[in-house]
Amino acid sequence: MSNLKEIFFEKSSALKTEFKALLKEHGSTKVDEVVLSQIFGGARGIKMMLWETSQLDPIKGISFRGYSIPELKELLPTGPDGKEPLPEALFWLMLVGEIPSDDQVRWLTDQWTHRSNVPEHTFKVLEALPTDTHPMTQFNIAITSMQTTSCFARRYEEGMNKSEYWDATYEDAMNLIARLPRIAAYIYRRTYHNGDHIAPDISLDWGANFAHMLGINGSDDFKNLIRLYLTIHADHEGGNASAHTTHLIGSTLSDPYFSFAGGMGSLAGPLHGLANQEVIKWIFRMIDALGTRTPTKEQIADYVQSTLASGQVIPGYGHAVLRQPDPRFTAQKLFAEEYIKGDDIIETVWKTLEVVPPILQGLGKVKNPWPNVDAHSGALLVYYGLKEYSFYTVLFGVSRALGVLAAQCWSRALGMPLERPKSVTSEWVKEFLSKEK
Ligand code: CMX
């Protein structure tokens, strides 16, 4: 067994034993209650699942195994220039709860390099699609096409013992994550660069190799942006739509390929991951409508009002859980401040930061008027030359694999059962209320 697998097995076995005792003693302890508005309101805030890899606080934002993003920037092993954290290191942390050493991260990079061969038929499946197919559709289809290589599905078919589910899930998770940059870069190059593909550079870390295969000439700074991007988008506790979908599908013992493809279907929604393309599209449309790349705050405010008046949301603002600016937004703003000077689009994003929150607050219904993770990413990508915004959600998806697949290893190791919450009809609600009276 590899070092990482051994540590995972040791930790998950110990927690499984602990849980058994804990549930025996406290299984009927009440931890939450549900009110009617939650049933009608997208189950906001109902505590109903276990998710080990990260936790979201409405005020402090995301913490991965207890570490905030600024702490991770200090503690995680970085790329060769020592500046941005390596997403491999975050995966290690999420999987086993320990900050890895440089050697451990190098081992993991090496593992993913060795596992990164994409099945030939996946490229053929992609080639069968028109090049104007949305990149998220291509990504989803490519992931599903690789299900033919699932260890979990094969071993289940062969009669795998329950106690080995975690092992097959770990193998699938590692293979799937290893292949994603190649697949995503392939989609990007076939869609926007006439299929002029760039071979992987196996001397590079996972994120830098991805940046290299995209073929963006942003030198080392772009590699650093991708390292940071792939780290901060990886996980946002279990209740968000892409994580929860992956978890739900996995709970049927559908394998990690099916589960993750389902999660990507959720990420492709404009209220979730697709918002990253919507933000930059909205900014470009505003620039076109106003006829200037340097709009004033007053001009931006007018445009925000016209967007709201036409019954649309302001993409990149608001959140179902957060009640403060998203620390993932802040991490990207700090990156821009450090690496980039005097860019019109970035400065426009910073101006919207001053303009949008008071307007949303003024509506009197928006619970969180602050920027979320998607508000800044497009401006950074455009700066380095990755202007094809329909591709942005694929980048988010590559990163999200780290969290949801690490979490799936935990779900299988802890023996989490089929997820099956209860639904009710409106008739039931009326009857219940009349009985209450
Ligand atoms: N612009 C305009 N209206 C907004 C808004 C925004 N950015 N954010 C919330 N609202 C509105 C909602 O549409 C809702 O209006 P109705 O009552 O008329 O339906 C009202 O304010 C209350 O919503 P909420 O409780 O504050 O927010 P929700 O938890 O329902 O939704 C979210 C959260 C993210 C879907 C919402 O804020 C939104 O649509 N934001 C814009 C899209 C976006 O950026 N999504 C990305 C989120 C991050 C991610 O998952 O990647």
Side-chain angles (χ1 to χ4, degrees):
M1 242 197 256
S2 69
N3 191 11
L4 179 61
K5 216 168 163 181
E6 266 164 34
I7 306 174
F8 176 72
F9 181 57
E10 208 177 285
K11 298 217 165 195
S12 57
S13 306
L15 195 61
K16 191 173 180 186
T17 311
E18 198 184 324
F19 277 168
K20 250 190 186 156
L22 188 137
L23 281 177
K24 201 168 169 199
E25 198 182 334
H26 302 288
S28 48
T29 304
K30 191 169 160 183
V31 292
D32 209 353
E33 58 185 23
V34 179
V35 297
L36 203 54
S37 62
Q38 287 172 303
I39 295 178
F40 282 76
R44 290 288 184 288
I46 301 173
K47 296 183 188 71
M48 52 73 73
M49 69 194 288
L50 195 77
W51 195 266
E52 293 294 284
T53 46
S54 69
Q55 181 152 28
L56 185 59
D57 180 90
I59 306 301
K60 293 189 206 143
I62 190 67
S63 61
F64 300 88
R65 295 282 187 178
Y67 296 103
S68 67
I69 290 175
E71 285 167 340
L72 291 182
K73 283 199 68 174
E74 287 295 315
L75 295 170
L76 289 183
T78 59
D81 61 4
K83 288 175 97 173
E84 302 302 333
L86 291 173
E88 290 93 317
L90 180 70
F91 179 77
W92 185 292
L93 172 67
M94 287 191 292
L95 193 68
V96 296
E98 293 170 2
I99 301 274
S101 65
D102 288 343
D103 280 351
Q104 287 171 323
V105 173
R106 256 194 300 276
W107 173 87
L108 187 51
T109 302
D110 205 41
Q111 273 286 309
W112 288 354
T113 304
H114 282 98
R115 291 169 182 257
S116 65
N117 248 349
V118 174
E120 209 41 51
H121 71 261
T122 294
F123 295 126
K124 287 190 185 142
V125 166
L126 284 173
E127 287 307 330
L129 297 169
T131 48
D132 62 356
T133 308
H134 192 282
M136 275 306 274
T137 314
Q138 298 189 49
F139 192 51
N140 201 296
I141 289 171
I143 295 159
T144 307
S145 80
M146 293 192 298
Q147 191 275 338
T148 53
T149 67
S150 167
C151 301
F152 190 95
R154 179 180 46 78
R155 285 168 63 179
Y156 193 87
E157 174 70 22
E158 290 165 1
M160 170 167 55
N161 190 300
K162 273 178 180 194
S163 64
E164 293 169 21
Y165 288 171
W166 72 270
D167 184 306
T169 303
Y170 171 92
E171 293 300 330
D172 276 350
M174 292 282 278
N175 292 339
L176 182 44
I177 291 169
R179 295 166 180 172
L180 290 177
R182 183 82 212 282
I183 287 167
Y186 191 92
I187 292 168
Y188 178 70
R189 301 296 300 180
R190 81 176 289 269
T191 307
Y192 306 109
H193 294 275
N194 300 318
D196 179 13
H197 296 291
I198 297 169
D201 178 346
I202 60 164
S203 71
L204 296 172
D205 53 85
W206 187 70
N209 186 34
F210 185 23
H212 157 77
M213 289 187 288
L214 289 170
I216 306 297
N217 293 323
S219 66
D220 290 342
D221 288 358
F222 182 68
K223 291 193 176 85
N224 272 332
L225 173 65
I226 293 296
R227 288 182 184 115
L228 178 70
Y229 187 108
L230 296 176
T231 301
I232 63 178
H233 286 75
D235 207 30
H236 220 222
E237 74 171 31
N240 72 78
S242 53
H244 190 198
T245 309
T246 307
H247 176 78
L248 170 65
I249 298 176
S251 83
T252 70
L253 298 186
S254 210
D255 60 66
Y257 291 87
F258 275 135
S259 313
F260 181 59
M264 291 302 93
S266 284
L267 196 73
L271 296 186
H272 190 17
L274 202 80
N276 64 6
Q277 80 163 41
E278 296 302 299
V279 168
I280 203 74
K281 203 160 93 184
W282 181 82
I283 289 176
F284 284 151
R285 282 189 181 156
M286 173 170 68
I287 285 171
D288 272 356
L290 300 175
T292 171
R293 280 175 66 86
T294 54
T296 62
K297 287 182 204 164
E298 291 69 30
Q299 286 175 309
I300 295 174
D302 286 347
Y303 194 78
V304 169
Q305 294 290 10
S306 71
T307 303
L308 293 171
S310 63
Q312 297 170 52
V313 294
I314 308 300
Y317 283 81
H319 201 272
V321 178
L322 288 169
R323 295 296 176 256
Q324 281 288 318
D326 190 332
R328 301 171 300 173
F329 170 88
T330 310
Q332 294 174 80
K333 184 165 185 285
L334 290 172
F335 184 97
E337 284 165 4
E338 183 182 343
Y339 290 75
I340 300 165
K341 298 278 170 279
D343 180 75
D344 290 344
I345 307 290
I346 287 175
E347 281 175 13
T348 300
V349 167
W350 295 353
K351 278 184 208 158
T352 62
L353 179 60
E354 291 175 53
V355 171
V356 174
I359 296 178
L360 291 182
Q361 268 159 341
L363 296 178
K365 63 174 183 178
V366 180
K367 296 191 191 67
N368 177 45
W370 302 110
N372 60 51
V373 65
D374 301 312
H376 210 308
S377 53
L380 286 166
L381 294 165
V382 166
Y383 175 82
Y384 287 108
L386 208 167
K387 297 187 172 127
E388 301 87 353
Y389 51 70
S390 303
F391 182 72
Y392 291 177
T393 311
V394 174
L395 289 175
F396 195 155
V398 171
S399 173
R400 188 44 58 100
L402 302 178
V404 300
L405 293 174
Q408 189 150 101
C409 291
W410 276 93
S411 296
R412 295 291 75 78
L414 297 174
M416 289 294 153
L418 178 76
E419 190 177 284
R420 183 41 167 107
K422 176 87 187 109
S423 65
V424 293
T425 63
S426 54
E427 274 312 307
W428 180 92
V429 171
K430 287 178 210 158
E431 216 176 294
F432 176 83
L433 291 176
S434 70
K435 276 189 208 149
E436 283 288 289
K437 264 187 211 155

